[in-house]
């Protein structure tokens, strides 16, 4: 049902990745609903079948009630629609007719429901009245919800989609997102997810527009609805009217022009007006992204998230499998350096085949290096593969989520064991590679000086540093408004890391999402960062900003910022000071 007379619905979410796309919706969560088969049941099975249908309706209703319950104030415009749906679960036309069909035709509940919802659709298809039209959409959506419970959850096969569409999903796991075929999928939108969730990170690296954390988009959109995804402003528009469509077509063209100009200058060096150079590296998850590393003229790979080599399999990869992939990657990029981060699973990236005890707080549990030290055979296999690949190119080794000195000492022991074993096996390898740790836990910031004595470099992971220092689940949209790299506490933490690094003489790179947003660049320059790693698509824009700033100015800027106490004070200062340099945020159309 629409909320305005023009029948278009605007929903605000969280920007996953910038850009605009317009196309037909493809609802991932309802996959499989269309391939319902009919079967006949005996008399004695009629009542159990009706009960099965009633139980699916109840489950769908309960799920729906929970969604309504969880809606916060700014989504109240969706409440009407959802409350209408609530009533429709027991609507005579749907509920009563389906039970009647099971009874009369002796057919399975799925078939009966499908038949009834199709009849409703056909009945109203030719009716011009927009109210009745939208009521049909509501009934179809409700029946799809019940159907999902009848058929059970279906596997998502995103890689099989063979039309140009915009994905609409409750959530896309990183594994789902990594199946996205760029020539088919124009963009995606999800009910769940936060700005720096792993889904958001993949969205950015895929460089397709996306909006996350939309709450109930899977319930408001029907397959083949036309939707506009405005990833830059975190808005989607369902069934836009002609004026809106026209406006957005224009904006899309303008955005693409802007991207083209930036891409044209991407080969220029990343130096400030006063000649200070910043290393701009790429964060990647998949080997296929090497093309994007080259296209965007990255200085190398500053973060290779290795989880995806594990997520694609049904068991842990062997040393040989990992070695082949790492070798291919470094050979493709040589002489540029590649920082390979060891396995960072659990938290929000779970391996289905790995036995890990149920955890109440996975983000605070057996994640990343903790998992690896707990399963040394898996860790050793990966380290050996990395050391072997290091004989074929320029590799740095990075350990995620170090929270204390003991952990890095243990890691070094595993590296030593890997070296002995490789020597023993007479394999070709290189043990003289830089070792770094992610600084993404507050205790690591506090102990940075001591930790620096054990390693060659720090890599600041702001996605987790913000999550852990501010106690904000990075995937939870309810608290997403608090998640901001300009929080003064975050900036002061980065300053502490920079000071500690200077004292111990270790290099620093920042690889969290903070590094790839143009507005943060003057601040990061002023804090003394000389190397940033980001999704490859952001490099040209960041480079353009860098080329217009003066490093001495940024030092003064940071002096001021370090005395500030709120996000808004800091944002206002940076936006005012650099308004002519930062890319325009296209916010005029937010409705
Ligand atoms: C980070 O935490 O900032 C980071 C780069 O690691 P990930 O996003 O993979 O947790
Ligand atoms: Mg992290």
């Amino acid at each position: 049902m629409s909320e305005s007379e023009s029948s278009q619905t605007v929903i605000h979410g969280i920007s996953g990745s910038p850009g605009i796309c317009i196309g037909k919706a493809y609802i991932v969560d309802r996959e499989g609903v269309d391939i319902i088969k009919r079967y006949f049941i005996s008399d004695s099975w009629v009542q159990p079948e009706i009960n099965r249908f009633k139980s699916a309706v109840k489950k769908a209703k309960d799920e729906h009630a929970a969604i309504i319950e969880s809606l916060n104030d700014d989504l109240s415009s969706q409440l009407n629609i959802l409350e209408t749906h609530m009533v429709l679960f027991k609507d005579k036309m749907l509920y009563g007719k389906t039970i009647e069909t099971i009874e009369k035709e002796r057919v399975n509940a799925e078939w009966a429901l499908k038949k009834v919802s199709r009849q409703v659709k056909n009945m109203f298809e030719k009716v011009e009245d927009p109210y009745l039209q939208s009521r049909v959409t509501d009934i179809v959506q409700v029946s799809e919800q019940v159907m999902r419970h009848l058929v059970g959850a279906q596997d998502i096969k995103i890689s099989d989609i063979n039309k140009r569409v915009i994905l609409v999903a409750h959530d896309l796991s990183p594994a789902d997102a990594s199946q996205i075929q760029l020539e088919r999928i124009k963009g995606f939108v999800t009910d769940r997810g936060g700005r720096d969730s792993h889904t958001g990170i993949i969205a950015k690296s895929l460089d397709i527009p996306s909006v996350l954390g939309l709450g109930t988009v899977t319930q408001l959109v029907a397959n083949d609805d036309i939707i506009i995804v405005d990833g830059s402003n975190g808005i989607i528009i369902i069934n836009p009217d002609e004026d809106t469509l026209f406006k957005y077509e224009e904006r899309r063209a303008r955005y693409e022009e802007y991207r083209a100009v930036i891409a044209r200058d991407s080969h220029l060096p990343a130096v400030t007006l006063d000649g200070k150079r910043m290393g701009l590296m790429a964060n990647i998850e998949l080997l296929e992204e090497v093309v994007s590393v080259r296209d965007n003229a990255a200085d190398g790979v500053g973060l290779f998230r290795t989880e995806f080599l594990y997520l694609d399999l049904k068991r842990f990869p062997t040393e040989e499998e990992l070695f082949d992939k790492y070798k291919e990657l470094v050979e493709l990029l040589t002489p540029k350096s590649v920082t390979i981060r060891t396995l960072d699973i659990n938290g929000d990236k779970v391996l289905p085949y790995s036995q890990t005890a149920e955890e109440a707080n996975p983000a605070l549990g057996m994640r990343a290096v903790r998992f690896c030290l707990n399963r040394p055979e898996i860790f050793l296999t990966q380290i050996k593969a990395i050391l072997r690949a290091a004989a074929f190119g320029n590799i740095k080794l990075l350990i995620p989520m170090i929270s204390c000195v003991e952990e890095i000492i243990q890691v070094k022991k595993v590296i030593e064991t890997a070296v002995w074993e490789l020597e023993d096996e007479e394999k070709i390898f290189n043990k003289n590679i830089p070792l770094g740790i992610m600084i993404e836990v507050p205790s690591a910031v506090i102990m940075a000086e001591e930790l620096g004595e054990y390693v060659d470099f720090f890599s600041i992971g702001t996605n987790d540093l913000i999550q852990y220092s501010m106690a904000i689940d990075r995937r939870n949209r309810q608290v997403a408004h608090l998640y901001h790299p300009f929080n003064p506490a975050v900036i002061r933490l980065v300053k502490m890391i920079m000071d500690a690094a200077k004292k111990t003489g270790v290099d620093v790179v920042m690889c969290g999402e903070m590094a790839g947003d143009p507005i943060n660049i003057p601040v990061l320059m002023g804090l003394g960062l000389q190397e940033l790693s980001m999704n490859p698509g952001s490099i040209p824009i960041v480079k353009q900003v860098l080329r217009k700033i003066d490093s001495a100015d940024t030092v003064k800027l940071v002096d001021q910022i370090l005395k500030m106490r709120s996000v808004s004070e800091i944002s206002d200062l940076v936006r005012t000071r650099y308004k002519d340099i930062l890319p325009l945020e296209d916010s005029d159309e937010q409705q």
Side-chain angles (χ1 to χ4, degrees):
M1 186 184 287
S2 63
E3 58 174 307
S4 68
E5 30 173 66
S6 72
S7 93
Q8 71 176 22
T9 308
V10 181
I11 320 180
H12 294 250
I14 296 163
S15 162
S17 47
I20 291 168
C21 66
I22 301 170
K24 284 192 177 174
Y26 186 97
I27 299 165
V28 178
D29 287 347
R30 292 180 198 155
E31 259 305 82
V33 168
D34 287 344
I35 46 166
I36 300 302
K37 294 224 164 44
R38 177 175 58 169
Y39 58 87
F40 293 100
I41 52 175
S42 62
D43 290 355
S44 60
W45 272 101
V46 171
Q47 197 49 48
E49 195 62 7
I50 291 173
N51 292 346
R52 196 165 71 83
F53 171 67
K54 286 184 176 171
S55 141
V57 172
K58 181 169 181 326
K59 281 189 201 147
K61 243 184 120 178
D62 290 350
E63 184 188 54
H64 203 79
I67 291 170
I68 293 178
E69 188 73 14
S70 72
L71 273 194
N72 55 16
D73 291 347
D74 57 352
L75 294 172
S76 56
S77 61
Q78 296 173 29
L79 202 61
N80 282 348
I81 306 167
L82 292 171
E83 282 176 344
T84 313
H85 281 194
M86 201 71 191
V87 178
L88 287 177
F89 281 108
K90 287 277 170 86
D91 187 272
K92 243 203 263 151
M93 227 172 356
L94 191 72
Y95 186 79
K97 273 264 177 211
T98 304
I99 293 177
E100 205 183 296
T101 309
I102 299 173
E103 270 171 345
K104 276 198 182 146
E105 297 186 23
R106 302 279 190 266
V107 286
N108 53 319
E110 291 88 344
W111 183 260
L113 177 61
K114 184 176 168 178
K115 185 176 174 188
V116 170
S117 74
R118 200 176 269 167
Q119 278 169 348
V120 175
K121 226 168 153 179
N122 292 345
M123 209 156 47
F124 287 99
E125 206 154 54
K126 295 185 184 74
V127 181
E128 296 274 341
D129 182 344
Y131 171 76
L132 285 176
Q133 289 274 6
S134 59
R135 196 167 162 87
V136 174
T137 309
D138 292 342
I139 290 178
V140 170
Q141 286 178 1
V142 164
S143 76
E144 280 176 343
Q145 259 176 286
V146 175
M147 190 70 90
R148 277 217 305 275
H149 287 279
L150 271 177
V151 299
Q154 299 287 323
D155 264 2
I156 302 166
K157 264 273 175 218
I158 294 172
S159 51
D160 289 350
I161 298 173
N162 60 3
K163 35 191 179 183
R164 292 273 294 153
V165 288
I166 295 172
L167 293 185
V168 179
H170 181 57
D171 198 4
L172 283 180
S173 68
D176 297 330
S178 66
Q179 289 178 41
I180 286 178
Q181 315 247 3
L182 291 179
E183 64 282 10
R184 312 243 172 85
I185 311 300
K186 294 178 166 189
F188 70 84
V189 299
T190 58
D191 290 335
R192 300 196 64 220
R195 199 181 311 274
D196 293 340
S197 63
H198 282 111
T199 312
I201 290 169
I202 300 255
K204 283 196 200 100
S205 68
L206 291 171
D207 209 10
I208 54 176
S210 67
V211 180
L212 315 175
L214 285 159
T216 51
V217 66
T218 45
Q219 312 219 6
L220 299 174
V221 176
N223 266 331
D224 290 336
D225 271 353
I226 298 288
I227 53 178
I228 296 174
V229 180
D230 175 355
S232 309
N233 290 310
I235 297 175
I236 76 156
I237 302 167
I238 308 167
N239 293 325
D241 56 35
E242 266 184 37
D243 273 1
T244 312
L245 250 183
F246 182 73
K247 250 190 279 179
Y248 269 93
E249 285 289 4
E250 268 191 347
R251 285 179 62 180
R252 186 178 57 170
R254 254 190 299 156
Y255 182 81
E256 271 160 23
E257 232 169 76
Y258 166 72
R259 290 287 302 248
V261 169
I262 287 173
R264 198 192 55 206
D265 296 342
S266 67
H267 62 283
L268 299 172
V271 284
T272 59
L273 292 171
D274 52 336
K276 285 259 161 43
R277 194 176 191 293
M278 181 79 96
L280 299 183
M281 321 273 286
N283 292 350
I284 62 169
E285 285 79 33
L286 310 165
L287 237 63
E288 291 74 15
E289 289 176 274
V290 166
V291 181
S292 165
V293 176
R294 290 213 195 102
D295 287 354
N296 291 292
D299 293 318
V301 169
L303 173 64
F304 179 48
R305 289 184 169 94
T306 53
E307 296 74 74
F308 296 87
L309 299 180
Y310 291 71
L311 282 164
D312 280 348
L313 299 176
K314 295 205 163 44
R315 45 149 182 89
F316 283 100
T318 62
E319 181 188 315
E320 233 32 59
E321 283 168 336
L322 290 171
F323 166 65
D324 285 345
K325 295 276 185 200
Y326 299 152
K327 177 169 175 279
E328 191 182 343
L329 176 66
V330 289
E331 284 185 337
L332 285 167
L333 286 166
T334 200
K336 291 179 176 172
S337 72
V338 179
T339 301
I340 299 185
R341 185 178 72 182
T342 55
L343 189 59
D344 182 358
I345 50 147
N346 296 336
D348 70 343
K349 286 178 282 190
V350 181
L351 299 180
Y353 52 83
S354 160
Q355 310 281 322
T356 314
E358 183 100 351
E359 294 182 302
N361 278 311
L364 304 181
M366 199 44 91
R367 183 187 161 185
V369 74
R370 299 171 181 183
F371 172 86
C372 289
L373 290 174
N374 189 250
R375 301 283 303 272
E377 71 291 356
I378 292 164
F379 196 29
L380 192 65
T381 302
Q382 185 178 30
I383 302 265
K384 285 170 79 177
I386 295 171
L387 296 181
R388 285 175 62 194
F392 299 86
N394 187 355
I395 286 185
K396 297 180 188 177
L397 176 61
L398 177 61
I399 315 293
M401 220 189 151
I402 290 284
S403 63
C404 58
V405 166
E406 288 89 328
E407 277 173 342
I408 189 64
I409 294 175
Q410 276 179 277
V411 166
K412 289 185 114 168
K413 286 206 180 111
V414 176
I415 299 174
E416 261 171 47
T417 310
V419 169
W420 292 332
E421 288 195 8
L422 289 171
E423 271 168 358
D424 215 37
E425 292 158 11
E426 298 184 359
K427 295 207 169 114
I428 299 169
F429 69 101
N430 177 9
K431 62 178 176 184
N432 298 317
I433 58 172
L435 171 66
I437 53 172
M438 297 278 297
I439 304 283
E440 49 187 350
V441 177
S443 59
V445 181
I446 296 167
M447 297 300 287
E449 246 182 271
E450 288 78 4
L451 287 167
E453 290 171 22
Y454 298 84
V455 296
D456 304 295
F457 69 98
F458 292 155
S459 185
I460 308 179
T462 50
N463 308 338
D464 278 314
L465 189 57
I466 299 173
Q467 153 161 275
Y468 293 128
S469 61
M470 296 201 55
I472 301 168
D473 178 350
R474 60 197 262 195
R475 294 178 305 156
N476 184 341
R477 71 183 177 88
Q478 313 265 22
V479 287
H481 62 286
L482 291 171
Y483 191 106
H484 205 294
F486 277 173
N487 185 292
V490 174
I491 296 181
R492 289 183 203 189
L493 284 169
V494 176
K495 169 85 168 98
M496 284 168 69
I497 301 168
M498 298 308 294
D499 290 347
K502 211 173 186 180
K503 278 201 187 141
T504 32
V506 300
D507 294 334
V508 187
V509 52
M510 177 179 282
C511 67
E513 295 302 293
M514 184 178 184
D517 190 341
I519 189 165
N520 301 333
I521 300 306
V523 182
L524 299 179
M525 183 90 216
L527 281 163
L529 278 137
Q530 292 176 9
E531 215 170 55
L532 304 175
S533 193
M534 63 200 73
N535 76 79
S538 298
I539 291 176
I541 298 179
V542 166
K543 192 179 280 187
Q544 208 190 42
V545 171
L546 261 175
R547 292 178 57 80
K548 290 182 188 158
I549 61 181
D550 180 276
S551 77
D553 277 350
T554 65
V555 173
K556 284 187 212 141
L557 173 84
V558 166
D559 279 347
Q560 258 179 288
I561 287 176
L562 288 171
K563 295 187 191 98
M564 293 181 158
R565 54 183 64 191
S566 71
V567 171
S568 56
E569 262 181 296
I570 300 174
S571 293
D572 289 350
L573 177 69
V574 179
R575 276 179 212 283
T576 320
R577 184 85 64 90
Y578 290 94
K579 70 173 181 312
D580 300 331
I581 291 168
L582 295 169
L584 280 181
E585 277 159 52
D586 232 352
S587 56
D588 53 316
E589 310 279 340
Q590 295 198 21
Q591 298 159 57

